[in-house]
PDB file of all heavy atoms in Angstrom:
ATOM      1  N   GLU G  22      83.406  94.033  95.605  1.00  0.00           N
ATOM      2  CA  GLU G  22      83.914  93.138  94.570  1.00  0.00           C
ATOM      3  C   GLU G  22      84.501  91.919  95.267  1.00  0.00           C
ATOM      4  O   GLU G  22      85.336  92.052  96.170  1.00  0.00           O
ATOM      5  CB  GLU G  22      84.980  93.834  93.734  1.00  0.00           C
ATOM      6  CG  GLU G  22      85.538  92.976  92.616  1.00  0.00           C
ATOM      7  CD  GLU G  22      86.606  93.674  91.799  1.00  0.00           C
ATOM      8  OE1 GLU G  22      86.725  94.918  91.909  1.00  0.00           O
ATOM      9  OE2 GLU G  22      87.329  92.971  91.061  1.00  0.00           O
ATOM     10  N   HIS G  23      84.065  90.743  94.858  1.00  0.00           N
ATOM     11  CA  HIS G  23      84.573  89.494  95.420  1.00  0.00           C
ATOM     12  C   HIS G  23      85.288  88.720  94.323  1.00  0.00           C
ATOM     13  O   HIS G  23      84.704  88.434  93.273  1.00  0.00           O
ATOM     14  CB  HIS G  23      83.437  88.647  95.995  1.00  0.00           C
ATOM     15  CG  HIS G  23      82.739  89.279  97.148  1.00  0.00           C
ATOM     16  ND1 HIS G  23      81.631  90.080  96.994  1.00  0.00           N
ATOM     17  CD2 HIS G  23      83.004  89.245  98.482  1.00  0.00           C
ATOM     18  CE1 HIS G  23      81.230  90.504  98.179  1.00  0.00           C
ATOM     19  NE2 HIS G  23      82.040  90.018  99.097  1.00  0.00           N
ATOM     20  N   ARG G  24      86.547  88.386  94.560  1.00  0.00           N
ATOM     21  CA  ARG G  24      87.342  87.690  93.556  1.00  0.00           C
ATOM     22  C   ARG G  24      87.690  86.276  94.015  1.00  0.00           C
ATOM     23  O   ARG G  24      88.227  86.074  95.100  1.00  0.00           O
ATOM     24  CB  ARG G  24      88.637  88.459  93.274  1.00  0.00           C
ATOM     25  CG  ARG G  24      88.417  89.894  92.791  1.00  0.00           C
ATOM     26  CD  ARG G  24      89.739  90.573  92.479  1.00  0.00           C
ATOM     27  NE  ARG G  24      89.574  91.978  92.120  1.00  0.00           N
ATOM     28  CZ  ARG G  24      90.575  92.796  91.821  1.00  0.00           C
ATOM     29  NH1 ARG G  24      91.832  92.353  91.843  1.00  0.00           N
ATOM     30  NH2 ARG G  24      90.334  94.058  91.514  1.00  0.00           N
ATOM     31  N   HIS G  25      87.378  85.304  93.184  1.00  0.00           N
ATOM     32  CA  HIS G  25      87.791  83.905  93.361  1.00  0.00           C
ATOM     33  C   HIS G  25      87.278  83.274  94.661  1.00  0.00           C
ATOM     34  O   HIS G  25      87.997  82.480  95.286  1.00  0.00           O
ATOM     35  CB  HIS G  25      89.324  83.789  93.301  1.00  0.00           C
ATOM     36  CG  HIS G  25      89.919  84.346  92.054  1.00  0.00           C
ATOM     37  ND1 HIS G  25      89.612  83.862  90.802  1.00  0.00           N
ATOM     38  CD2 HIS G  25      90.809  85.362  91.866  1.00  0.00           C
ATOM     39  CE1 HIS G  25      90.288  84.537  89.890  1.00  0.00           C
ATOM     40  NE2 HIS G  25      91.010  85.463  90.503  1.00  0.00           N
ATOM     41  N   VAL G  26      86.052  83.579  95.055  1.00  0.00           N
ATOM     42  CA  VAL G  26      85.509  82.944  96.268  1.00  0.00           C
ATOM     43  C   VAL G  26      85.360  81.435  96.073  1.00  0.00           C
ATOM     44  O   VAL G  26      85.278  80.683  97.058  1.00  0.00           O
ATOM     45  CB  VAL G  26      84.161  83.573  96.675  1.00  0.00           C
ATOM     46  CG1 VAL G  26      84.341  84.998  97.142  1.00  0.00           C
ATOM     47  CG2 VAL G  26      83.148  83.494  95.538  1.00  0.00           C
ATOM     48  N   GLU G  27      85.345  80.989  94.816  1.00  0.00           N
ATOM     49  CA  GLU G  27      85.224  79.556  94.554  1.00  0.00           C
ATOM     50  C   GLU G  27      86.451  78.788  95.026  1.00  0.00           C
ATOM     51  O   GLU G  27      86.434  77.553  95.106  1.00  0.00           O
ATOM     52  CB  GLU G  27      84.987  79.302  93.059  1.00  0.00           C
ATOM     53  CG  GLU G  27      86.192  79.499  92.163  1.00  0.00           C
ATOM     54  CD  GLU G  27      86.506  80.957  91.839  1.00  0.00           C
ATOM     55  OE1 GLU G  27      85.720  81.840  92.243  1.00  0.00           O
ATOM     56  OE2 GLU G  27      87.548  81.214  91.202  1.00  0.00           O
ATOM     57  N   ARG G  28      87.522  79.504  95.365  1.00  0.00           N
ATOM     58  CA  ARG G  28      88.736  78.842  95.855  1.00  0.00           C
ATOM     59  C   ARG G  28      88.582  78.339  97.292  1.00  0.00           C
ATOM     60  O   ARG G  28      89.375  77.505  97.738  1.00  0.00           O
ATOM     61  CB  ARG G  28      89.916  79.800  95.770  1.00  0.00           C
ATOM     62  CG  ARG G  28      90.374  80.089  94.337  1.00  0.00           C
ATOM     63  CD  ARG G  28      91.452  81.148  94.295  1.00  0.00           C
ATOM     64  NE  ARG G  28      91.992  81.316  92.947  1.00  0.00           N
ATOM     65  CZ  ARG G  28      92.838  82.274  92.601  1.00  0.00           C
ATOM     66  NH1 ARG G  28      93.237  83.165  93.510  1.00  0.00           N
ATOM     67  NH2 ARG G  28      93.280  82.355  91.362  1.00  0.00           N
ATOM     68  N   VAL G  29      87.606  78.834  98.008  1.00  0.00           N
ATOM     69  CA  VAL G  29      87.348  78.331  99.351  1.00  0.00           C
ATOM     70  C   VAL G  29      86.715  76.946  99.215  1.00  0.00           C
ATOM     71  O   VAL G  29      85.696  76.799  98.539  1.00  0.00           O
ATOM     72  CB  VAL G  29      86.386  79.257 100.126  1.00  0.00           C
ATOM     73  CG1 VAL G  29      86.099  78.677 101.506  1.00  0.00           C
ATOM     74  CG2 VAL G  29      86.969  80.651 100.243  1.00  0.00           C
ATOM     75  N   PRO G  30      87.306  75.904  99.815  1.00  0.00           N
ATOM     76  CA  PRO G  30      86.725  74.566  99.710  1.00  0.00           C
ATOM     77  C   PRO G  30      85.254  74.562 100.115  1.00  0.00           C
ATOM     78  O   PRO G  30      84.870  75.177 101.114  1.00  0.00           O
ATOM     79  CB  PRO G  30      87.576  73.736 100.678  1.00  0.00           C
ATOM     80  CG  PRO G  30      88.895  74.449 100.712  1.00  0.00           C
ATOM     81  CD  PRO G  30      88.558  75.903 100.601  1.00  0.00           C
ATOM     82  N   ALA G  31      84.432  73.878  99.327  1.00  0.00           N
ATOM     83  CA  ALA G  31      82.988  73.881  99.560  1.00  0.00           C
ATOM     84  C   ALA G  31      82.602  73.150 100.840  1.00  0.00           C
ATOM     85  O   ALA G  31      81.512  73.374 101.388  1.00  0.00           O
ATOM     86  CB  ALA G  31      82.267  73.256  98.364  1.00  0.00           C
ATOM     87  N   SER G  32      83.465  72.268 101.314  1.00  0.00           N
ATOM     88  CA  SER G  32      83.174  71.521 102.533  1.00  0.00           C
ATOM     89  C   SER G  32      84.484  71.108 103.188  1.00  0.00           C
ATOM     90  O   SER G  32      85.560  71.194 102.581  1.00  0.00           O
ATOM     91  CB  SER G  32      82.317  70.288 102.220  1.00  0.00           C
ATOM     92  OG  SER G  32      83.011  69.414 101.345  1.00  0.00           O
ATOM     93  N   GLY G  33      84.387  70.644 104.411  1.00  0.00           N
ATOM     94  CA  GLY G  33      85.553  70.161 105.126  1.00  0.00           C
ATOM     95  C   GLY G  33      86.293  71.251 105.868  1.00  0.00           C
ATOM     96  O   GLY G  33      86.055  72.452 105.666  1.00  0.00           O
ATOM     97  N   ALA G  34      87.191  70.827 106.727  1.00  0.00           N
ATOM     98  CA  ALA G  34      87.952  71.747 107.566  1.00  0.00           C
ATOM     99  C   ALA G  34      88.846  72.642 106.725  1.00  0.00           C
ATOM    100  O   ALA G  34      89.490  72.187 105.780  1.00  0.00           O
ATOM    101  CB  ALA G  34      88.786  70.969 108.577  1.00  0.00           C
ATOM    102  N   VAL G  35      88.877  73.924 107.079  1.00  0.00           N
ATOM    103  CA  VAL G  35      89.753  74.870 106.407  1.00  0.00           C
ATOM    104  C   VAL G  35      90.024  76.031 107.356  1.00  0.00           C
ATOM    105  O   VAL G  35      89.148  76.447 108.122  1.00  0.00           O
ATOM    106  CB  VAL G  35      89.127  75.383 105.087  1.00  0.00           C
ATOM    107  CG1 VAL G  35      87.798  76.081 105.343  1.00  0.00           C
ATOM    108  CG2 VAL G  35      90.081  76.312 104.360  1.00  0.00           C
ATOM    109  N   VAL G  36      91.266  76.529 107.323  1.00  0.00           N
ATOM    110  CA  VAL G  36      91.634  77.716 108.095  1.00  0.00           C
ATOM    111  C   VAL G  36      91.702  78.891 107.125  1.00  0.00           C
ATOM    112  O   VAL G  36      92.439  78.839 106.133  1.00  0.00           O
ATOM    113  CB  VAL G  36      92.998  77.530 108.800  1.00  0.00           C
ATOM    114  CG1 VAL G  36      93.400  78.819 109.520  1.00  0.00           C
ATOM    115  CG2 VAL G  36      92.936  76.371 109.783  1.00  0.00           C
ATOM    116  N   VAL G  37      90.924  79.910 107.384  1.00  0.00           N
ATOM    117  CA  VAL G  37      90.887  81.103 106.544  1.00  0.00           C
ATOM    118  C   VAL G  37      91.644  82.218 107.258  1.00  0.00           C
ATOM    119  O   VAL G  37      91.332  82.545 108.407  1.00  0.00           O
ATOM    120  CB  VAL G  37      89.434  81.545 106.270  1.00  0.00           C
ATOM    121  CG1 VAL G  37      89.406  82.817 105.433  1.00  0.00           C
ATOM    122  CG2 VAL G  37      88.660  80.430 105.584  1.00  0.00           C
ATOM    123  N   VAL G  38      92.660  82.783 106.611  1.00  0.00           N
ATOM    124  CA  VAL G  38      93.433  83.862 107.225  1.00  0.00           C
ATOM    125  C   VAL G  38      93.253  85.139 106.409  1.00  0.00           C
ATOM    126  O   VAL G  38      93.148  85.095 105.180  1.00  0.00           O
ATOM    127  CB  VAL G  38      94.935  83.511 107.344  1.00  0.00           C
ATOM    128  CG1 VAL G  38      95.133  82.261 108.169  1.00  0.00           C
ATOM    129  CG2 VAL G  38      95.570  83.360 105.975  1.00  0.00           C
ATOM    130  N   SER G  39      93.226  86.260 107.094  1.00  0.00           N
ATOM    131  CA  SER G  39      93.020  87.532 106.411  1.00  0.00           C
ATOM    132  C   SER G  39      93.784  88.638 107.113  1.00  0.00           C
ATOM    133  O   SER G  39      94.159  88.508 108.286  1.00  0.00           O
ATOM    134  CB  SER G  39      91.523  87.868 106.372  1.00  0.00           C
ATOM    135  OG  SER G  39      91.278  89.045 105.624  1.00  0.00           O
ATOM    136  N   ASN G  40      94.008  89.728 106.389  1.00  0.00           N
ATOM    137  CA  ASN G  40      94.593  90.925 106.998  1.00  0.00           C
ATOM    138  C   ASN G  40      93.521  91.657 107.787  1.00  0.00           C
ATOM    139  O   ASN G  40      92.315  91.485 107.555  1.00  0.00           O
ATOM    140  CB  ASN G  40      95.200  91.837 105.931  1.00  0.00           C
ATOM    141  CG  ASN G  40      94.214  92.228 104.838  1.00  0.00           C
ATOM    142  OD1 ASN G  40      93.502  91.386 104.286  1.00  0.00           O
ATOM    143  ND2 ASN G  40      94.169  93.510 104.522  1.00  0.00           N
ATOM    144  N   HIS G  41      93.966  92.484 108.754  1.00  0.00           N
ATOM    145  CA  HIS G  41      93.024  93.096 109.705  1.00  0.00           C
ATOM    146  C   HIS G  41      93.114  94.617 109.635  1.00  0.00           C
ATOM    147  O   HIS G  41      94.105  95.208 110.055  1.00  0.00           O
ATOM    148  CB  HIS G  41      93.350  92.602 111.115  1.00  0.00           C
ATOM    149  CG  HIS G  41      92.188  92.621 112.054  1.00  0.00           C
ATOM    150  ND1 HIS G  41      90.962  93.172 111.744  1.00  0.00           N
ATOM    151  CD2 HIS G  41      92.074  92.161 113.332  1.00  0.00           C
ATOM    152  CE1 HIS G  41      90.141  93.038 112.772  1.00  0.00           C
ATOM    153  NE2 HIS G  41      90.793  92.428 113.745  1.00  0.00           N
ATOM    154  N   LEU G  42      92.052  95.228 109.107  1.00  0.00           N
ATOM    155  CA  LEU G  42      92.014  96.668 108.887  1.00  0.00           C
ATOM    156  C   LEU G  42      91.073  97.412 109.823  1.00  0.00           C
ATOM    157  O   LEU G  42      91.295  98.583 110.130  1.00  0.00           O
ATOM    158  CB  LEU G  42      91.558  96.972 107.454  1.00  0.00           C
ATOM    159  CG  LEU G  42      92.278  96.298 106.296  1.00  0.00           C
ATOM    160  CD1 LEU G  42      91.513  96.556 105.003  1.00  0.00           C
ATOM    161  CD2 LEU G  42      93.685  96.832 106.184  1.00  0.00           C
ATOM    162  N   SER G  43      89.974  96.739 110.239  1.00  0.00           N
ATOM    163  CA  SER G  43      88.880  97.445 110.894  1.00  0.00           C
ATOM    164  C   SER G  43      88.050  96.472 111.720  1.00  0.00           C
ATOM    165  O   SER G  43      88.078  95.258 111.477  1.00  0.00           O
ATOM    166  CB  SER G  43      88.002  98.108 109.815  1.00  0.00           C
ATOM    167  OG  SER G  43      86.751  98.504 110.308  1.00  0.00           O
ATOM    168  N   VAL G  44      87.290  96.998 112.668  1.00  0.00           N
ATOM    169  CA  VAL G  44      86.385  96.138 113.429  1.00  0.00           C
ATOM    170  C   VAL G  44      85.270  95.591 112.541  1.00  0.00           C
ATOM    171  O   VAL G  44      84.582  94.633 112.916  1.00  0.00           O
ATOM    172  CB  VAL G  44      85.767  96.892 114.630  1.00  0.00           C
ATOM    173  CG1 VAL G  44      86.823  97.275 115.638  1.00  0.00           C
ATOM    174  CG2 VAL G  44      84.993  98.121 114.168  1.00  0.00           C
ATOM    175  N   SER G  45      85.099  96.172 111.363  1.00  0.00           N
ATOM    176  CA  SER G  45      84.082  95.676 110.431  1.00  0.00           C
ATOM    177  C   SER G  45      84.584  94.508 109.587  1.00  0.00           C
ATOM    178  O   SER G  45      83.814  93.913 108.820  1.00  0.00           O
ATOM    179  CB  SER G  45      83.596  96.807 109.519  1.00  0.00           C
ATOM    180  OG  SER G  45      84.661  97.361 108.773  1.00  0.00           O
TER     181      SER G  45
END
Side-chain angles (χ1 to χ4, degrees):
E22 181 181 345
H23 296 91
R24 302 182 185 179
H25 304 299
V26 292
E27 74 281 355
R28 289 174 174 172
V29 178
S32 61
V35 60
V36 176
V37 178
V38 301
S39 185
N40 55 313
H41 206 353
L42 308 170
S43 164
V44 295
S45 59

